[in-house]
Amino acid sequence: MSKDEEELDPRETPEHPRHQYGLIGQGVAETKLLESYKSGRFHHAWLMCGPQGIGKATLAYRLARFILNHRDHLSSDVQNAVDLTVESDNGVAHRVAARAHSDLFVLQRELNRKTKKLRPAIAVDDARRLGGFFNMTAGEGGWRICIIDAADDLNASAANAILKILEEPPKNCLFLIISHAPGRLLPTIRSRCLRLDLAPLKGEEVAQVVSSGLQGHDLSADETAALIALGSGSPGKVMQLVTSQGARQFIRFQQAVSAPQGFSLSIRMTIAEEFQKRGAEIEFGIFADLLESWIGRQARQAAEQSDHAKANALALCHSAFSDSIARTNALNLDRRQTLMMAFADIEKILNQ
């Protein structure tokens, strides 16, 4: 990636996983990787699974730095290590951060030079470059490592190209494959990897991760707590939501439906009007995703409380809203009307 492309790439921020040297909340997964490497029976392909934004890529870069810095698993530095820490002033860390380590290949969606936007998928030509990378001798000896971030972005041809390498892996090659939805991957890819599940973080862990990133956003304590709750254990999701008008309006929705005076028509109209504005498509999508998840949670909660009538009504509301959003996006329908209909259904169910 050129300097110009780096400036256009929305992922290239100081918060990028390759610039992170700490890891919070994923100690179990980190220990499993470390102990496996120490043993000398290290699998050549790890499938790192879990929701987006919980630290999978951070852990992948953390492991890559450690192995590239400690090529001999029998060395005292490895055998005495308690975690995968490599300090930021280390030479390997510098090269990884600068995307200049000859033994590390990162496969991800590339920037379209014409549109100056990220391509919708990882293309087969990019995946095929891995063959040449793994066929070369390691520039610094030891392992050659590929991070795929994320496998969910592979198109069909790219996935098959990766599968061919996984089926006959070269010596001392390592795949660190990130997936937010592993069930959608080719079964043959999943079967050739050792799965490592990462769990969402606890609320206090999320708060610790995002504390510095939230500074300067002028959030009240209640707004910060609400954003962390919306993140569902994902610091990455919290940071995506912090500047989102869709998230702010959803917090307003939550406050309104739980208020003693109820979910008034004026508040419904104010929220819905926000997403009728020109250019509000992305924020509408964020709000719709949050609302759909909220309806689902309310349905589950009603079922757990044996309120079967309410649970069934909310389940039907969830299905109808999901279909309505799909139609609205596909046919460019009135977003305001879509939300007002959903709000009316929710208000009716809550007042039963």
Side-chain angles (χ1 to χ4, degrees):
M1 181 184 294
S2 68
K3 188 68 175 177
D4 289 342
E5 290 175 329
E6 182 177 334
E7 292 176 354
L8 292 170
D9 192 332
R11 300 166 298 192
E12 289 300 322
T13 70
E15 287 74 39
H16 191 284
R18 74 171 184 278
H19 298 306
Q20 307 310 307
Y21 295 94
L23 183 66
I24 295 173
Q26 301 298 352
V28 172
E30 181 173 17
T31 298
K32 184 172 182 177
L33 290 169
L34 176 60
E35 293 305 316
S36 181
Y37 186 59
K38 284 182 179 181
S39 72
R41 298 184 297 275
F42 200 56
H43 200 276
H44 75 280
W46 291 79
L47 183 60
M48 297 178 168
C49 307
Q52 192 166 4
I54 62 171
K56 300 187 299 297
T58 298
L59 179 57
Y61 278 100
R62 192 170 169 85
L63 176 62
R65 283 193 298 263
F66 186 85
I67 292 177
L68 292 172
N69 193 56
H70 301 293
R71 298 187 294 271
D72 182 5
H73 71 278
L74 294 175
S75 70
S76 60
D77 286 342
V78 171
Q79 294 300 317
N80 295 329
V82 295
D83 57 32
L84 297 171
T85 297
V86 174
E87 299 297 338
S88 60
D89 59 358
N90 176 278
V92 166
H94 276 303
R95 293 195 292 283
V96 169
R99 302 193 316 277
H101 201 294
S102 61
D103 294 331
L104 176 63
F105 186 104
V106 179
L107 183 62
Q108 59 185 0
R109 288 190 295 151
E110 296 295 332
L111 201 68
N112 186 317
R113 295 182 181 181
K114 292 183 179 179
T115 64
K116 303 188 186 312
K117 295 181 180 179
L118 292 177
R119 297 184 184 277
I122 297 174
V124 64
D125 289 342
D126 295 322
R128 284 173 178 160
R129 289 192 288 125
L130 264 180
F133 170 77
F134 280 130
N135 285 333
M136 295 171 61
T137 302
E140 299 185 23
W143 295 81
R144 293 181 73 74
I145 301 174
C146 171
I147 296 175
I148 301 181
D149 187 13
D152 315 272
D153 295 329
L154 294 166
N155 67 25
S157 297
N160 283 315
I162 297 298
L163 177 60
K164 290 180 181 179
I165 303 174
L166 287 172
E167 288 174 334
E168 298 181 10
K171 184 179 179 181
N172 286 344
C173 88
L174 174 62
F175 277 94
L176 303 177
I177 304 174
I178 296 163
S179 178
H180 317 308
R184 299 176 184 173
L185 302 182
L186 289 175
T188 42
I189 286 183
R190 296 199 306 267
S191 68
R192 284 162 175 78
C193 299
L194 194 59
R195 178 164 173 159
L196 181 67
D197 287 300
L198 279 70
L201 277 62
K202 299 176 183 177
E204 59 270 23
E205 293 171 335
V206 174
Q208 186 179 352
V209 173
V210 303
S211 58
S212 61
L214 293 182
Q215 292 177 3
H217 286 285
D218 194 26
L219 298 173
S220 69
D222 288 344
E223 287 174 326
T224 299
L227 279 172
I228 289 173
L230 290 181
S232 303
S234 168
K237 185 175 181 180
V238 172
M239 294 311 300
Q240 288 177 338
L241 294 176
V242 67
T243 58
S244 166
Q245 189 60 31
R248 293 290 184 95
Q249 291 299 327
F250 181 75
I251 292 172
R252 188 176 188 181
F253 161 81
Q254 284 186 304
Q255 293 169 341
V257 295
S258 60
Q261 63 270 31
F263 192 18
S264 69
L265 179 60
S266 62
I267 293 179
R268 292 185 233 169
M269 292 180 66
T270 300
I271 294 174
E273 285 287 349
E274 187 67 36
F275 302 107
Q276 191 60 21
K277 298 175 181 177
R278 185 184 297 274
E281 295 87 355
I282 293 176
E283 297 302 333
F284 173 70
I286 291 172
F287 181 87
D289 286 345
L290 292 171
L291 182 57
E292 186 176 355
S293 297
W294 180 88
I295 298 170
R297 288 196 301 273
Q298 296 301 308
R300 288 191 294 274
Q301 183 177 332
E304 290 168 358
Q305 296 172 350
S306 298
D307 189 343
H308 300 302
K310 186 176 181 180
N312 289 335
L314 284 165
L316 290 173
C317 179
H318 182 274
S319 177
F321 182 63
S322 178
D323 291 343
S324 179
I325 291 297
R327 287 197 305 273
T328 299
N329 290 333
L331 302 176
N332 197 26
L333 301 180
D334 190 308
R335 297 189 290 270
R336 174 182 49 201
Q337 182 65 22
T338 298
L339 290 179
M340 289 299 291
M341 291 174 62
F343 292 159
D345 289 343
I346 291 169
E347 178 72 0
K348 181 179 179 180
I349 294 169
L350 294 180
N351 288 334
Q352 286 180 348

